[in-house]
Amino acid sequence: MNTATAAPAASSLVHPNLHPDERAAREELAACYRVFAMLGWVEMIYNHITVRLPDSVTGGEKQFLINPFGLHYSEVTASNLVKIDLHGNVLDGSTHKVNPAGFVVHAAIHDGLAGAHCVMHTHTTAGVAVACLKEGLQQTNFYTAQLHDMVAYHDFEGITIHADEGPRLLKSIGNRNAVILRNHGLLAWGQTLPQTFAILWTLQRACEIQMATFSMGATVLPVSEDIARRCTRDALQFSPEHGAGQDVFNALVRQVDRIDPSYRN
């Protein structure tokens, strides 16, 4: 059994007097893990949501927060998130381990895409199912229509523990914020955590509806490229000028607070 699974649910930070920007980042990310747990976007102790700490905290160095390996998302708190560098080295004295198979992909995106403040990865049933289709996500529903020309695909290369996959992943992604990892799952990245969540939520819903639609065995009604292009332009939910998902994320955090606000600890 991996010893990481026996890690305690809480970890005291070496520097309790945190910079307020790091404290805010920790609370927001911990809240997001609880939101994922509430939505059922969990894979036991696996998968990750990562954020890059702002320069006000790091002095310009690339440092990140990630979940402690061995804990369920419902156990993640602001204090037990682990601060690491691009190589996965622990920077805050945490006793928790970091899953190398998780951070390889995240490190490549954070390092290679200037706007990738946050990266999210899931193995939901609908997401993996669509990722296994040769045709991938098809332009057939309200949610896919909001992702016109936003979805990238990356071919499956096995368990993501090899850093040499990074350049190929970045080439596959280009500038697209929604990513389908073929035979694997879903990924999204963005300039803020709420924006990344809004992108992933839309991609997840698109996959759920596609899976439900195709299960009926009837002829599927496609959405034209022109209409999809207009839908993506008109939706505005990913735009920083229109909140970039902050209102939706805040609403879900309020639900988490009513259930269990311990993520703030």
Side-chain angles (χ1 to χ4, degrees), residues 30-52:
C32 191
Y33 275 104
R34 298 299 185 93
V35 166
F36 272 44
M38 181 177 67
L39 295 175
W41 295 0
V42 292
E43 187 77 357
M44 302 295 284
I45 60 171
Y46 304 103
N47 297 162
H48 306 280
I49 313 163
T50 55
V51 297
R52 178 178 173 178

Side-chain angles (χ1 to χ4, degrees), residues 39 41 122 124-128 130 137-138 140-147 151 178 180 186 188 196-214 237-238 248 252:
L39 295 175
W41 295 0
T122 60
T124 61
T125 299
V128 177
V130 171
L137 190 65
Q138 298 180 45
T140 60
N141 67 66
F142 177 83
Y143 297 100
T144 58
Q146 297 176 59
L147 294 168
V151 181
I180 294 179
L186 305 181
T196 308
F197 177 82
I199 294 166
L200 183 63
W201 183 84
T202 306
L203 181 61
Q204 169 67 20
R205 287 293 289 147
C207 290
E208 289 172 348
I209 299 302
Q210 177 167 314
M211 187 169 72
T213 302
F214 283 28
Q237 76 269 35
F238 310 134
V248 172
L252 290 170

Side-chain angles (χ1 to χ4, degrees), residues 40-241:
W41 295 0
V42 292
E43 187 77 357
M44 302 295 284
I45 60 171
Y46 304 103
N47 297 162
H48 306 280
I49 313 163
T50 55
V51 297
R52 178 178 173 178
L53 287 167
D55 290 348
S56 59
V57 174
T58 69
E61 295 183 16
K62 292 183 177 180
Q63 299 178 358
F64 311 88
L65 296 175
I66 192 170
N67 54 315
F69 188 49
L71 300 188
H72 189 268
Y73 281 13
S74 63
E75 298 177 289
V76 173
T77 66
S79 63
N80 66 31
L81 287 164
V82 185
K83 179 161 47 172
I84 57 176
D85 62 17
L86 276 170
H87 304 290
N89 297 313
V90 176
L91 303 176
D92 58 5
S94 174
T95 58
H96 293 290
K97 296 183 182 297
V98 174
N99 183 3
F103 194 61
V104 166
V105 165
H106 290 241
I109 297 172
H110 280 300
D111 192 33
L113 299 174
H117 164 77
C118 179
V119 180
M120 300 177 175
H121 173 49
T122 60
H123 286 178
T124 61
T125 299
V128 177
V130 171
C132 293
L133 292 176
K134 183 178 181 179
E135 298 82 4
L137 190 65
Q138 298 180 45
Q139 198 64 263
T140 60
N141 67 66
F142 177 83
Y143 297 100
T144 58
Q146 297 176 59
L147 294 168
H148 181 268
D149 204 30
M150 286 184 59
V151 181
Y153 292 85
H154 178 64
D155 288 339
F156 185 56
E157 297 189 23
I159 298 174
T160 52
I161 57 174
H162 304 290
D164 65 342
E165 185 177 352
R168 294 186 292 277
L169 174 66
L170 292 174
K171 183 177 179 181
S172 297
I173 292 174
N175 64 352
R176 291 181 168 91
N177 295 85
V179 185
I180 294 179
L181 302 171
R182 292 191 184 277
N183 309 102
H184 186 171
L186 305 181
L187 183 144
W189 61 274
Q191 298 174 42
T192 67
L193 185 151
Q195 180 192 49
T196 308
F197 177 82
I199 294 166
L200 183 63
W201 183 84
T202 306
L203 181 61
Q204 169 67 20
R205 287 293 289 147
C207 290
E208 289 172 348
I209 299 302
Q210 177 167 314
M211 187 169 72
T213 302
F214 283 28
S215 71
M216 293 189 290
T219 301
V220 177
L221 183 65
V223 175
S224 73
E225 288 293 304
D226 181 58
I227 291 177
R229 191 178 297 111
R230 271 194 289 144
C231 285
T232 299
R233 184 189 66 227
D234 294 344
L236 302 177
Q237 76 269 35
F238 310 134
S239 170
E241 291 77 22

